[in-house]
Each structure stands twice: as C-alpha cells, then as structure tokens.
Amino acid sequence: MALPPSLLIRTAKTIWTTLWRTMMAQMAPSDKGGAYQRPDSEFCDRIPSSTFPSDAQRYRLIVGMGCPWAHRTLIVRTLKGLDRAIPITIVSPSGNEGCWVFDQPSAMDSLGCRTMPQFYDKAQSGYQGRATVPLLWDTQTNTIVNNESAEIIEILNNAFNDWATHPEMNLYPTELQPEIDQWNKRIYHNVNNGVYRCGFAQTQTAYTTACNELFEALDDIDTTLASQRYLCGSQLTLTDIRLFTTLIRFDVAYYGLFKCNRRRISDYENLSGYVRDIYQLPGVAATCDVDAIKRDYFGNLFPLNPGGIIPLGPDLANLQAPHGRASL
Ligand SMILES: N[C@@H](CCC(=O)N[C@@H](CS)C(=O)NCC(=O)O)C(=O)O
C-alpha cells in the first residue's frame, strides 16, 4: 500500500535534510550563521631553509587536476620551466572514501600509502587535519614541506631558479608585491574562496552574502581589466594565476553546482578575454583538465549533487579564440 504523498514528502525531507546537514558539517565546516569556514593550512615551511635547501628532483608536488589550489602550483611550475626539477604525482578523489587517493604506482609507493590521509600521517603521526592537495613533499626526509598553495607558488617562483628554464620570469617582483598582496587578499575572500562560500553555504543568508560579494568583486575586476592586460598592469603576476584557476572553473562548475549564477565569465567582456589570454600562454592549456574538473566537482561533492550526473556543457572551444589583449 502506497504512503500518502504528503507523509512521504515530509518523511523524505526530514531524513534527507538531516543527512545533508550532517554531511555538509563534515565536508564544509561553518560558523553559527551557516557561512563556510575554510580550515587553515598546517604545514608552512619554506625553501630554501636550513631544513629544506633548494635542490632539483628532491621535492615532489602532489596535485589533483580538478583542484583550483593545486592548479596554481601546476601553472607556476610550467611557466617557470620546472618540469624536470619538480616532479609531480597526480591523485584523484575517491567519492566513497571521501579523500584523495593515489591511482597510479608512484615514486612514493615505498612509503606504502594509498590515500592522502595515510600520507599526511606518515609526515605527522596522528595527524587529524584535512589531507589536502597541493602538497610539497620532501623525498629525502619523507615529510611535508608545505601544504598551502599560496606559499608553494612563491617557493616555486623563487627557490629553483638554478634549474628553471625561465629563471628570468619573476611572478612576484618586489616593486609589485604590495599591489599583488592587496589583490590576493580581496580575490581570495570574494572569488577563490568566495565561490566555495556560495556553494558550501548552509543558510540562505550566508549564500546571499557570499554571492553578492563574489559578483561585486568580479564586476570591479572586469572594469580594471578594461584598461590593462593583467591585474597589476602589463606584467603577469602570481595574483593573475590565483584568479585564473577560479575563472577557468567558473562556467564549468561553479556557475551551476555552487549557484554562482548571476553571470558567466563568458558574459564578461574583459574577464573572458583575460581568461583566454592566460589559457593561451605556453604550457598553460595542458594544465587545464576540464574533464577532471567536471568529474571532481559534479562526481564527488555528493551532498551537492547526489545523483552524480556530470553535465555535458559548456562548449569551451572559445578558449582558443584570439584574446585581443596584447595591445593593452
Ligand atoms: N589552503 C589550501 C586549500 C587546499 C584545498 O582545500 N584543497 C582541496 C581540494 S580543492 C582538498 O584537498 N580538500 C580535501 C579535504 O578538505 O579533505 C591551499 O590553498 O593549498
């Protein structure tokens, strides 16, 4: 005998909402108002230092191709020409285990780890924090150097110039640092983490605040980019790379899955050309794995997309179109 629909709906809603809240609390810690609170990164050593001297092939980057934070490190590694000096290991998300897993035999197999949490535990026994990517690993002492992308990209920019194919490329020049730092602060809160603050919001108010702040920042950035090629003028810097990895995921994932749907990046006149400009820099397109982005976001963030269906669009052929920004 079928249940009366209203009872069925009420029961399903109660169970579903309770499960959703429980899973969201685990996946996305929030404050009392339901706003997402990203946990701080816990490993913040630098290279060069007395413990971690600069050296080629000693350090390894562990990345996930869908992850915007890991993507920053891949782009800086590529632009600097550090492919030989800093090898990478790619991990994939395991939807069932809720963590990153090593899917191919890797140089670190000798450590006997299959998942990122096991790997963090090797570096710090009993580690209870988030086992995030990207991770800069020291293969000599078998420990973590750094797991904060904002710091790893500074390390990659500075510490390995003796082995870099493009040592002359300085993405964090001293004279631009105050301006870069200012952009970073605004872009991190409103855009990089802003899209997560929309998608991981657990109340309407938290979502509305995040969404308003996100689009206010994007509107301002679009205006800035009307008269200059990059955020700090004519020179590409770390702040552009930090912005780019969010923008390239925007129409693909954040617009739909994270409800960042006031406008697409492709609707912005200047931001859309800016994305094409950076995408077309030598080596950058090869770091952009759109299938992995779709798979990792739509396929693995179960509380946001329980059916796991991965959308077919959008059409990104336009990324190869002329950007017309060189004259700015
Ligand atoms: N602050 C970190 C954040 C990195 C981060 O949140 N990475 C995500 C993937 S996009 C992750 O590994 N999450 C796994 C988890 O939180 O358990 C950074 O920028 O390096």
Side-chain angles (χ1 to χ4, degrees), residues 18-177:
T18 309
L19 274 176
W20 181 76
R21 285 195 203 292
T22 311
M23 279 187 291
M24 286 301 286
Q26 184 70 32
M27 183 173 86
S30 65
D31 67 13
K32 284 198 192 102
Y36 174 49
Q37 302 287 301
R38 180 176 291 277
D40 288 336
S41 301
E42 297 188 34
F43 297 84
C44 47
D45 278 306
R46 292 282 182 155
I47 303 172
S49 63
S50 51
T51 326
F52 301 115
S54 296
D55 205 353
Q57 308 221 323
R58 168 170 172 165
Y59 304 98
R60 182 168 274 273
L61 251 184
I62 305 173
V63 295
M65 296 306 287
C67 170
W69 317 98
H71 195 184
R72 299 166 162 188
T73 66
L74 282 177
I75 295 180
V76 176
R77 171 178 173 268
T78 293
L79 292 177
K80 292 286 296 187
L82 291 170
D83 304 32
R84 277 178 56 78
I86 311 285
I88 56 168
T89 297
I90 297 176
V91 290
S92 302
S94 160
N96 290 337
E97 292 173 85
C99 63
W100 295 97
V101 296
F102 293 83
D103 46 6
Q104 280 176 0
S106 78
M108 271 127 19
D109 274 358
S110 55
L111 295 170
C113 301
R114 198 183 54 78
T115 70
M116 276 311 260
Q118 288 170 349
F119 205 66
Y120 269 75
D121 194 65
K122 276 275 175 232
Q124 190 182 101
S125 181
Y127 178 76
Q128 293 292 321
R130 317 289 296 207
T132 56
V133 291
L135 187 70
L136 191 57
W137 179 260
D138 178 18
T139 60
Q140 209 160 87
T141 57
N142 281 331
T143 196
I144 296 170
V145 180
N146 198 302
N147 74 337
E148 170 51 53
S149 63
E151 294 177 5
I152 296 175
I153 56 177
E154 288 181 16
I155 294 171
L156 296 179
N157 182 55
N158 291 328
F160 302 101
N161 281 335
D162 287 350
W163 302 275
T165 320
H166 298 293
E168 75 291 351
M169 172 170 278
N170 185 0
L171 297 160
Y172 195 43
T174 316
E175 66 280 10
L176 292 178
Q177 284 179 11

Side-chain angles (χ1 to χ4, degrees), residues 94-285:
S94 160
N96 290 337
E97 292 173 85
C99 63
W100 295 97
V101 296
F102 293 83
D103 46 6
Q104 280 176 0
S106 78
M108 271 127 19
D109 274 358
S110 55
L111 295 170
C113 301
R114 198 183 54 78
T115 70
M116 276 311 260
Q118 288 170 349
F119 205 66
Y120 269 75
D121 194 65
K122 276 275 175 232
Q124 190 182 101
S125 181
Y127 178 76
Q128 293 292 321
R130 317 289 296 207
T132 56
V133 291
L135 187 70
L136 191 57
W137 179 260
D138 178 18
T139 60
Q140 209 160 87
T141 57
N142 281 331
T143 196
I144 296 170
V145 180
N146 198 302
N147 74 337
E148 170 51 53
S149 63
E151 294 177 5
I152 296 175
I153 56 177
E154 288 181 16
I155 294 171
L156 296 179
N157 182 55
N158 291 328
F160 302 101
N161 281 335
D162 287 350
W163 302 275
T165 320
H166 298 293
E168 75 291 351
M169 172 170 278
N170 185 0
L171 297 160
Y172 195 43
T174 316
E175 66 280 10
L176 292 178
Q177 284 179 11
E179 201 180 340
I180 294 172
D181 295 344
Q182 227 170 4
W183 273 118
N184 285 347
K185 211 166 152 191
R186 179 151 190 230
I187 289 172
Y188 172 78
H189 180 75
N190 298 306
V191 183
N192 301 139
N193 198 38
V195 293
Y196 284 88
R197 289 168 55 233
C198 292
F200 288 173
Q202 287 163 57
T203 60
Q204 181 68 49
T205 310
Y207 163 75
T208 305
T209 305
C211 196
N212 283 336
E213 289 176 0
L214 167 66
F215 282 94
E216 209 175 288
L218 289 177
D219 291 349
D220 281 0
I221 294 169
D222 190 64
T223 305
T224 301
L225 292 174
S227 55
Q228 58 191 61
R229 186 166 178 182
Y230 300 118
L231 287 168
C232 295
S234 57
Q235 189 179 346
L236 180 83
T237 67
L238 289 182
T239 200
D240 296 298
I241 292 161
R242 292 167 56 130
L243 177 60
F244 172 79
T245 65
T246 297
L247 298 183
I248 194 76
R249 284 161 178 74
F250 202 96
D251 296 358
V252 174
Y254 305 142
Y255 182 90
L257 189 69
F258 284 1
K259 307 184 191 80
C260 302
N261 62 357
R262 261 204 197 142
R263 292 182 87 183
R264 293 176 173 82
I265 296 305
S266 55
D267 299 329
Y268 280 99
E269 193 184 337
N270 305 305
L271 275 171
S272 56
Y274 170 84
V275 170
R276 289 202 298 282
D277 186 357
I278 298 177
Y279 182 82
Q280 292 170 23
L281 292 173
V284 171

